[in-house]
Amino acid sequence: MRLRFVLSQLASGLRRNVSMTISVVLVTFISLVFVGAAALLQMQIGNMKDDWYDRVEVSVFMCPQDSAVPTCATGEVSDDQLADIEELLASEALAPYVDEVFFETKEEAYAAFQEQMPDTVWTQSLTPEQMQVSFRIKLVDPEQYQVVADELTGRPGVEDVVDQRALLEPLFLILDRATLLAVALAGVMIVTAVLLITTTIRLSAMSRRRETSIMRLVGASNLFIQLPFMLEGALAALAGAALAVGGLWLAARYLVEGWLATEFQWVQFVDTGDVLLIAPLLVAAAILLAGISSLVSLSRYTRV
């Protein structure tokens, strides 16, 4: 009987506040979409860093002809200077930092350039003699780039030391800022959702003030009186969470897996499994939203 009464009160409240309930569902849905998008963006950044940072190399470009860099004052790098750099990279001092070393000749550099930029004016005008020899160094820990760079920079025959991570940092910066934007928008929408749920509960409580008074007179407990209102907010929030999870799953399935992953096969994208991984967090966030809203409103608007 008690359960049936609570369910009847819940159904009555939902019928009386259909428009507000739909508003709560939609606002919660949008809020949790932003929360989920921020979480997925962070997972994407983590995947890309784990994958790409293991592949990046330090490129040591040796002096070409007619370089204005002070370390190239003697002209093009000599065989002795190349031997010194090779010896340094194979030394015990750099052994904890250097994983592998690849030497690229002028001819190999020219072939790689032609492959990367075919049918351009530059490839037609350049010759192998104009290219630079270089060392490509795979590090044990890419974060230790500066140790290797400090050892190589300024040595005779070395024109420049380039960390390929520097090419990736702007991309990660953009993704981090997009995450912050999503979090900020989610915060605004969550506050809106709390206010809407609070308003919905308040309107529902005011419309049933007479029933609440009777229940108080017959000795009903606070939990029994407040439970239908709490369930209204919880159901609306959970419906919004379900829509958010469904929307993110569809986006991951058809936008990411169905399009991006096929167009950019060298990138490890988040997928539907990641959406399912964060789904419990979104449901927990919806329950938390409903709980906060209930605490804010019920203690005040169910008094008689």
Side-chain angles (χ1 to χ4, degrees):
M1 290 293 292
R2 285 177 175 269
L3 177 60
R4 187 159 53 191
F5 178 77
V6 169
L7 293 177
S8 67
Q9 290 294 303
L10 172 62
S12 175
L14 292 175
R15 283 197 303 269
R16 292 178 183 180
N17 301 293
V18 173
S19 60
M20 291 296 293
T21 301
I22 293 174
S23 299
V24 170
V25 171
L26 293 178
V27 171
T28 305
F29 159 62
I30 296 171
S31 303
L32 296 181
V33 163
F34 282 120
V35 173
L40 291 174
L41 270 174
Q42 280 302 301
M43 294 173 73
Q44 181 64 55
I45 293 171
N47 289 344
M48 293 169 70
K49 284 185 175 180
D50 291 341
D51 190 29
W52 291 1
Y53 276 3
D54 287 341
R55 299 182 186 180
V56 297
E57 300 169 333
V58 174
S59 297
V60 183
F61 293 100
M62 309 305 292
C63 293
Q65 298 177 0
D66 305 322
S67 175
V69 177
T71 53
C72 301
T74 57
E76 188 175 5
V77 62
S78 65
D79 292 339
D80 290 340
Q81 290 171 338
L82 285 174
D84 290 340
I85 298 301
E86 287 179 344
E87 184 178 351
L88 174 62
L89 293 174
S91 66
E92 292 184 5
L94 292 183
Y97 308 101
V98 175
D99 184 19
E100 291 181 90
V101 178
F102 306 93
F103 179 70
E104 187 175 64
T105 64
K106 291 182 178 182
E107 290 73 16
E108 289 170 338
Y110 180 74
F113 184 78
Q114 283 193 317
E115 183 178 347
Q116 293 172 3
M117 303 186 67
D119 302 326
T120 63
V121 177
W122 290 350
T123 55
Q124 295 173 5
S125 60
L126 283 175
T127 64
E129 284 302 315
Q130 294 174 294
M131 304 302 292
Q132 292 173 268
V133 297
S134 63
F135 291 94
R136 291 183 290 110
I137 307 167
K138 184 174 178 59
L139 301 180
V140 175
D141 180 5
E143 299 290 339
Q144 299 294 326
Y145 152 77
Q146 199 58 49
V147 176
V148 178
D150 289 343
E151 288 291 332
L152 294 168
T153 302
R155 288 186 173 268
V158 176
E159 183 185 45
D160 193 17
V161 180
V162 177
D163 179 18
Q164 292 180 355
R165 287 194 316 155
L167 304 176
L168 302 176
E169 292 300 335
L171 173 61
F172 293 141
L173 180 61
I174 292 173
L175 292 176
D176 280 330
R177 288 179 176 174
T179 302
L180 291 176
L181 178 60
V183 169
L185 291 173
V188 172
M189 297 304 297
I190 284 172
V191 172
T192 305
V194 170
L195 294 175
L196 266 177
I197 295 173
T198 302
T199 302
T200 302
I201 292 174
R202 176 174 64 85
L203 291 175
S204 183
M206 291 179 65
S207 68
R208 284 182 278 173
R209 200 170 184 83
R210 183 178 178 183
E211 291 93 327
T212 302
S213 301
I214 295 173
M215 293 170 68
R216 287 286 188 195
L217 289 175
V218 299
S221 65
N222 285 332
L223 178 61
F224 187 72
I225 294 173
Q226 296 175 357
L227 188 57
F229 305 109
M230 295 169 63
L231 289 176
E232 283 182 41
L235 283 177
L238 287 174
L243 288 176
V245 172
L248 291 171
W249 190 92
L250 290 173
R253 175 67 183 87
Y254 294 104
L255 179 62
V256 178
E257 293 181 348
W259 175 51
L260 289 176
T262 56
E263 293 292 328
F264 306 97
Q265 298 182 7
W266 44 274
V267 178
Q268 182 184 352
F269 286 104
V270 293
D271 54 21
T272 53
D274 294 312
V275 174
L276 296 179
L277 190 63
I278 66 170
L281 298 178
L282 298 182
V283 173
I287 295 173
L288 183 61
L289 279 178
I292 292 173
S293 304
S294 299
L295 289 175
V296 169
S297 58
L298 285 177
S299 60
R300 178 178 177 183
Y301 293 109
T302 56
R303 292 177 183 174
V304 178

